[in-house]
Amino acid sequence: MSTQTMTRRVGPYALLVPSLVILAIAMGYPLVRQVVMSFQEYGRAQQFGQPAPFVGLDNYVDLFTDAQMWAVVGRSLAFCAVNVAVTMLLGIAIALLLRRVSRGPRLTLQIAMLLAWAMPVIAAMTSWQWLFDTRYGVINWTLVKLGFESFDGHNWLTNPWSFYFVATVIVVWMSVPFVMFTVYAALTQVSEDALEAGELDGASPWQRFRHIVYPTIRPVLTITLLLQVVWDLRVFAQIYYLQGVGGTPSKTHLLGTYIYTLGIGQSDYGMASALAMFVLVLTLVLTAGYVRALLRESR
C-alpha cells in the first residue's frame, strides 16, 4: 500500500483525534467522577479534604426506596410527555402555516419566534413572573375583566397543578421556535411537484401530509423529538425560578431541581450523583427507540 493511499485512509480519522481528546476531557472525566461519587458518601466534609468512604450500592438502595424520588420521577415523566407533545404539535403546525402565508406575515412570525428563542432565560422568566403576578399580573387582570372574579389576587404558584401549567406555558413558549425553524427548514426539501401531483390526483391535505410531507421530514422530526425529550426531562431553570418566587419545592420538584437540592442544598453529593446516573439511564431508555429508528434511516 502506497504512502499516499495510507494517508487518504488514515487522514480523516487523524483529523478527528483533537476533537475526540477534547470530548474525552470535557465529558469523560466529569462522567467518570460522577460514577465514582455515586458509590461514595460524599458530603460537606469531603469538600474540605476528608476522604470519601466507599459505601457500595447504599446510595442507590436509599434512592430506589425513597417514595419522594419516585414521585419526582413520575412528575418529571408526565411533565416531559405533555411539554414534548404540545411543543412538537405547535412547532409543526406553525411551520406548516409559514408555507401557506405571504412573505410579510411569514417574516413577522419568524422574527417574533427568533426573538422569543433568543431571549435570555432569566429575562424571559422575569417577564412571565410579572404576567402571572398575584396582584399586578396581566393574566389575572384580564381574567377578572372577562368575568372570572375568582382570579382576583389568584396565586398561580401555590397549587402544584397551576404551577405546572405556568411552567408548561413558559417551557413550550421557549421551545416552539426551535421546532418551528427546524421543521420549516425540512419542509423546504419537500417536492412541490409531488404535492401538486397529489392534489391533482384528489389527495386531501391530510393525505398529502401523511404520504408526501411526513416521509420527507421524518428524519428531522425524529432528531427534533429526541432533543425535546432530553431537554424537557432535564428542565431546571424554569422550575427553579418559579419555586423561588412562590412555588412549594417539595410539591413541585422535577428531576433537575431535585438533584440540585440533594447536591447543593443538602450537600449529599453521593446521593445526587446516584440520581444523576439514574436520570442518564432513564434518558437513554426513553430515547433508545428514536436513536435506533434514526440509525436505520441513515443506512
Side-chain angles (χ1 to χ4, degrees), residues 203-222:
S204 65
W206 168 248
Q207 289 174 325
R208 294 198 299 272
F209 176 81
R210 179 181 176 185
H211 298 289
I212 300 175
V213 176
Y214 176 70
T216 304
I217 67 174
R218 182 169 55 189
V220 174
L221 289 180
T222 303

Side-chain angles (χ1 to χ4, degrees), residues 13-33:
Y13 297 100
L15 293 174
L16 291 175
V17 171
S19 299
L20 294 176
V21 170
I22 293 175
L23 286 175
I25 295 174
M27 300 181 63
Y29 173 76
L31 180 60
V32 171
R33 188 75 183 95

Side-chain angles (χ1 to χ4, degrees), residues 101-246:
V101 298
S102 60
R103 186 171 182 271
R106 182 170 63 251
L107 286 176
T108 302
L109 186 56
Q110 287 177 328
I111 292 172
M113 286 288 179
L114 186 61
L115 291 175
W117 192 18
M119 183 176 293
V121 175
I122 298 302
M125 293 302 300
T126 303
S127 299
W128 282 106
Q129 177 190 349
W130 175 74
L131 287 173
F132 283 97
D133 185 76
T134 301
R135 297 181 60 187
Y136 307 108
V138 174
I139 303 298
N140 283 353
W141 179 84
T142 303
L143 290 172
V144 170
K145 291 297 182 181
L146 292 175
F148 299 95
E149 299 294 337
S150 60
F151 284 93
D152 186 16
H154 177 72
N155 191 326
W156 290 85
L157 303 180
T158 54
N159 182 280
W161 288 102
S162 58
F163 176 95
Y164 287 126
F165 171 77
V166 174
T168 296
V169 170
I170 296 172
V171 171
V172 169
W173 178 80
M174 291 181 172
S175 303
V176 163
F178 169 76
V179 177
M180 185 273 290
F181 281 117
T182 305
V183 175
Y184 180 70
L187 288 172
T188 61
Q189 305 304 311
V190 178
S191 172
E192 293 291 344
D193 293 336
L195 290 173
E196 290 179 4
E199 186 175 4
L200 291 174
D201 289 339
S204 65
W206 168 248
Q207 289 174 325
R208 294 198 299 272
F209 176 81
R210 179 181 176 185
H211 298 289
I212 300 175
V213 176
Y214 176 70
T216 304
I217 67 174
R218 182 169 55 189
V220 174
L221 289 180
T222 303
I223 295 175
T224 306
L225 181 63
L226 180 68
L227 292 173
Q228 284 301 136
V229 170
V230 173
W231 292 337
D232 289 342
L233 185 64
R234 303 168 65 180
V235 65
F236 171 79
Q238 295 87 342
I239 303 300
Y240 182 75
Y241 185 96
L242 291 177
Q243 288 177 342
V245 296

Side-chain angles (χ1 to χ4, degrees), residues 4-5 18 22 37 61 65 94 100 121 134-135 157 164 180 210 255 263 275:
Q4 186 176 6
T5 303
I22 293 175
M37 287 177 60
V61 172
T65 55
I94 297 174
R100 304 187 67 88
V121 175
T134 301
R135 297 181 60 187
L157 303 180
Y164 287 126
M180 185 273 290
R210 179 181 176 185
L255 285 169
L275 181 54

Side-chain angles (χ1 to χ4, degrees), residues 12-64:
Y13 297 100
L15 293 174
L16 291 175
V17 171
S19 299
L20 294 176
V21 170
I22 293 175
L23 286 175
I25 295 174
M27 300 181 63
Y29 173 76
L31 180 60
V32 171
R33 188 75 183 95
Q34 184 171 280
V35 172
V36 173
M37 287 177 60
S38 70
F39 295 102
Q40 294 177 328
E41 182 182 339
Y42 201 101
R44 187 174 286 107
Q46 282 66 41
Q47 290 183 285
F48 291 95
Q50 293 293 325
F54 180 79
V55 295
L57 296 174
D58 287 357
N59 287 331
Y60 289 95
V61 172
D62 293 342
L63 188 67
F64 293 142

